[in-house]
Amino acid sequence: MKKVILLISFIVLMAGISVNAQVVDPKKEVKRQGTSRANSKIEQGVEAGFNKLEEGVGSLFKKKKKKDKGGNGDKETKGDGGVNIYPPDGATDVPLSVILKWEPVEGDGFKAVSYELYLNIINPDGTYQEGAPLGTTFKNEYACTGLDPNTSYAWKYVGIDSDGRYIPPGNGGTFTTGNGDGGTASAPAVDIQWSRFDFVPGEEVIFEDMPDSMEENGEFPSRWDLKEGNAEILQVNGENVIGFPHGGAIVPYMEDSESDYLPDVFTVEFDAYFRPEYACRYYIFFYDNKNQSSNGNQYFTINVNAIVADESEGIYPGAETGNYSKNGGWRHISIAFTEGKLKMYMDDTRLINIPRYSADPSGITIECEGYARDTPEQIQYIKNVRIAKGGVKFYDRVMTDGKIVCNGIRFDVNKATLKPESMGPINEILSLMQKQPDLKFSVEGHTDSDGDEARNQILSEQRAKAVMEKLISMGISADRLSSKGFGESVPVDDNSSPEGKANNRRVEFVSF
């Protein structure tokens, strides 16, 4: 049984060394600590330490348990250490996309502010295939995707305190995945409640940055330019984000940054992370404040529960204050500008509505206030930034073109699971079909060219079906809808750029 991951944890625990709470490369970590082990003579007690540590983590790295004949992969239970975890230890038929959960690690004199996770495949003989660390999370859960079907896994989490020290002993469990039906049907369903969300993104993407999964951790985000402070690519919960240690301001990297690249009708979207309790703010400028003049454009302040424009403040419903949230977390920010009318949304609610915005937006700047420290829980993050050229109303589109093209209907990566922000376009389609009872649509899915062509074909079919079923569940008669997928076979843009790919990832509603 390979013990590289345990060796790393043991060395950190015994030596009391602060560790960066980003993704750890086990090989680099072992090499880095080689000299330290020699100087402190830690190697003399390594084997004894292994035995002690294995006792502390319980069943994590022993042979897997026998399968529960009844199957218990659908509920949370207590693991060997008496901790509520999901999947429960020994669970079977676990989805290929599963959210690992555990109780917060805290007690007298210690508290985990982040967690590091590891995952190993269990071989049929009970030994383990060593896996790379999953990543770091600042909540007691982690979205684990891309698992293999009918495979047994062992996972563990280790708490890290505010000084970067590991909190022993760690916990976790074992589980076995089910068939997965291609890796998509088993994705956990999203409880979409954005029934009154009316934001519809523009139909032509002119800038997009998720950021890309190939961006190097620790490097400056390649699709941006820096105005001030600092920004870098970080990995959070297994995905790349743009982090701002100590704050900073960035602007999209455009070919002609000095020109006005925002049309008269445009939309902007991004996700912003807020730490629990009192979190630092984000600022949005409607001009590139590195390459353009303000031309009278003001900035807008985004708090965890509010958006502020000059003397006007919109607070998210149910929030007592605009700048405090017990749990914090990600907020989806949506902005729609239509020839002087400005609307700004937080998650599912419009908070700002300015009927006559006097200035002419010419570009975008995103600024983060920043914390004094750059520990993981003190860094601000953004992701999923998209600027799109907006558009014609849905009714006018279908009357003119016979179809409605939506790139605002979003799904989890490589899945057919609808994201909540998809409800803006879906609600508009619903309203249109309710007002036009004779209107019928073929819901047609399209993908970009990334990945396997056959897989993209299946994915497009599943996504189109998911949208159709959502509309049927909202009251549209099934005989007014059908669905089909075209995969990557009918592109409308070049697949060589992020914007082109974004335009190709779309759902079309074709009248019949």
Side-chain angles (χ1 to χ4, degrees):
M1 180 176 65
K2 296 183 179 181
K3 299 182 177 179
V4 174
I5 294 175
L6 285 171
L7 175 59
I8 294 170
S9 300
F10 170 75
I11 292 169
V12 175
L13 290 167
M14 297 296 291
I17 298 174
S18 294
V19 179
N20 188 327
Q22 302 301 321
V23 176
V24 176
D25 184 328
K27 294 181 180 178
K28 292 181 180 179
E29 186 70 11
V30 170
K31 181 178 179 181
R32 183 182 72 79
Q33 297 199 23
T35 302
S36 176
R37 290 201 305 271
N39 292 339
S40 62
K41 297 182 180 180
I42 291 177
E43 69 272 26
Q44 296 177 3
V46 166
E47 188 59 36
F50 272 137
N51 295 336
K52 182 176 181 180
L53 191 57
E54 283 190 282
E55 293 174 4
V57 298
S59 65
L60 288 183
F61 292 92
K62 66 183 180 182
K63 290 187 178 180
K64 68 172 184 175
K65 292 184 176 182
K66 294 181 179 179
K67 293 183 179 180
D68 182 349
K69 294 181 180 179
N72 57 354
D74 60 346
K75 60 182 180 180
E76 297 182 20
T77 62
K78 287 186 177 293
D80 289 347
V83 178
N84 283 314
I85 62 174
Y86 181 83
D89 193 20
T92 60
D93 295 324
V94 172
L96 303 186
S97 297
V98 61
I99 298 179
L100 306 176
K101 298 181 181 181
W102 58 94
E103 287 184 348
V105 176
E106 57 185 22
D108 294 336
F110 69 88
K111 179 179 181 180
V113 297
S114 62
Y115 302 88
E116 197 163 279
L117 288 96
Y118 304 89
L119 184 72
N120 285 348
I121 292 177
I122 304 175
N123 295 319
D125 62 359
T127 60
Y128 291 77
Q129 296 181 30
E130 176 192 330
L134 283 175
T136 300
T137 175
F138 304 105
K139 300 189 297 184
N140 55 312
E141 62 180 51
Y142 181 89
C144 189
T145 60
L147 299 176
D148 294 327
N150 302 311
T151 302
S152 295
Y153 290 91
W155 67 283
K156 81 165 184 175
Y157 61 90
V158 180
I160 305 173
D161 68 13
S162 58
D163 293 322
R165 296 174 300 190
Y166 283 69
I167 299 173
N171 211 311
T174 64
F175 62 86
T176 302
T177 55
N179 290 328
D181 191 19
T184 299
S186 293
V190 176
D191 183 16
I192 300 177
Q193 300 293 335
W194 294 18
S195 59
R196 300 180 64 183
F197 187 50
D198 64 355
F199 173 83
V200 178
E203 68 268 20
E204 180 185 345
V205 178
I206 60 178
F207 178 86
E208 179 172 270
D209 190 29
M210 295 296 101
D212 192 276
S213 61
M214 298 305 292
E215 294 264 31
E216 293 290 336
N217 200 19
E219 294 296 322
F220 186 83
S222 62
R223 310 217 69 224
W224 297 82
D225 198 0
L226 183 66
K227 169 61 171 69
E228 62 184 39
N230 187 29
E232 61 186 64
I233 298 295
L234 300 174
Q235 192 175 83
V236 175
N237 288 350
E239 63 180 342
N240 279 355
V241 302
I242 302 174
F244 297 85
H246 303 297
I250 56 176
V251 296
Y253 185 74
M254 311 291 281
E255 289 186 3
D256 187 7
S257 298
E258 296 181 358
S259 66
D260 180 350
Y261 57 80
L262 292 181
D264 292 336
V265 180
F266 68 87
T267 60
V268 179
E269 297 174 83
F270 64 96
D271 295 324
Y273 180 78
F274 295 86
R275 60 162 289 179
E277 299 179 348
Y278 290 99
C280 280
R281 297 164 288 190
Y282 296 82
Y283 304 98
I284 300 298
F285 299 77
F286 287 125
Y287 69 99
D288 178 327
N289 65 5
K290 179 176 182 178
N291 303 294
Q292 302 172 349
S293 62
S294 67
N295 291 324
N297 280 289
Q298 63 191 84
Y299 68 87
F300 297 82
T301 304
I302 300 176
N303 289 303
V304 63
N305 287 325
I307 300 177
V308 182
D310 279 345
E311 302 300 320
S312 176
E313 180 181 23
I315 298 180
Y316 191 82
E320 294 183 4
T321 63
N323 65 341
Y324 177 88
S325 170
K326 179 180 179 181
N327 298 317
W330 289 100
R331 289 294 207 183
H332 185 72
I333 307 301
S334 310
I335 303 167
F337 183 86
T338 306
E339 298 177 337
K341 298 178 182 179
L342 178 63
K343 298 178 181 180
M344 302 183 73
Y345 301 75
M346 177 174 285
D347 288 345
D348 59 339
T349 304
R350 186 177 67 224
L351 299 185
I352 296 293
N353 187 4
I354 300 175
R356 296 177 182 84
Y357 183 72
S358 57
D360 178 21
S362 57
I364 293 293
T365 302
I366 300 178
E367 181 176 338
C368 298
E369 187 173 29
Y371 296 92
R373 301 171 62 190
D374 61 357
T375 52
E377 74 278 7
Q378 300 279 5
I379 297 178
Q380 294 174 272
Y381 310 102
I382 63 171
K383 63 179 181 179
N384 299 333
V385 183
R386 175 179 285 191
I387 305 173
K389 183 178 179 179
V392 183
K393 292 182 178 180
F394 279 4
Y395 179 75
D396 295 335
R397 291 190 214 176
V398 75
M399 290 298 103
T400 302
D401 303 327
K403 66 179 181 180
I404 299 166
V405 179
C406 292
N407 60 33
I409 296 179
R410 315 279 168 73
F411 303 85
D412 289 343
V413 178
N414 294 324
K415 297 178 180 63
T417 307
L418 281 164
K419 288 188 172 183
E421 56 264 34
S422 301
M423 291 309 298
I426 290 175
N427 286 333
E428 287 294 303
I429 294 291
L430 173 68
S431 176
L432 177 60
M433 296 189 77
Q434 289 172 334
K435 293 176 182 178
Q436 304 290 330
D438 295 330
L439 194 59
K440 298 180 180 181
F441 282 127
S442 168
V443 185
E444 302 179 357
H446 300 265
T447 71
D448 60 30
S449 62
D450 287 352
D452 179 72
E453 183 177 357
R455 173 61 182 152
N456 284 339
Q457 175 62 37
I458 295 172
L459 188 61
S460 68
E461 294 170 2
Q462 292 171 328
R463 287 178 169 179
K465 184 179 179 181
V467 175
M468 179 187 70
E469 291 179 344
K470 183 62 183 176
L471 285 166
I472 292 173
S473 73
M474 298 168 75
I476 299 299
S477 175
D479 61 7
R480 298 178 63 191
L481 294 165
S482 64
S483 70
K484 63 177 67 173
F486 291 90
E488 59 188 70
S489 65
V490 191
V492 294
D493 206 339
D494 192 338
N495 276 301
S496 63
S497 70
E499 291 77 23
K501 292 178 182 179
N503 288 322
N504 289 332
R505 293 191 302 268
R506 67 197 190 278
V507 175
E508 296 188 357
F509 296 84
V510 181
S511 177
F512 68 88

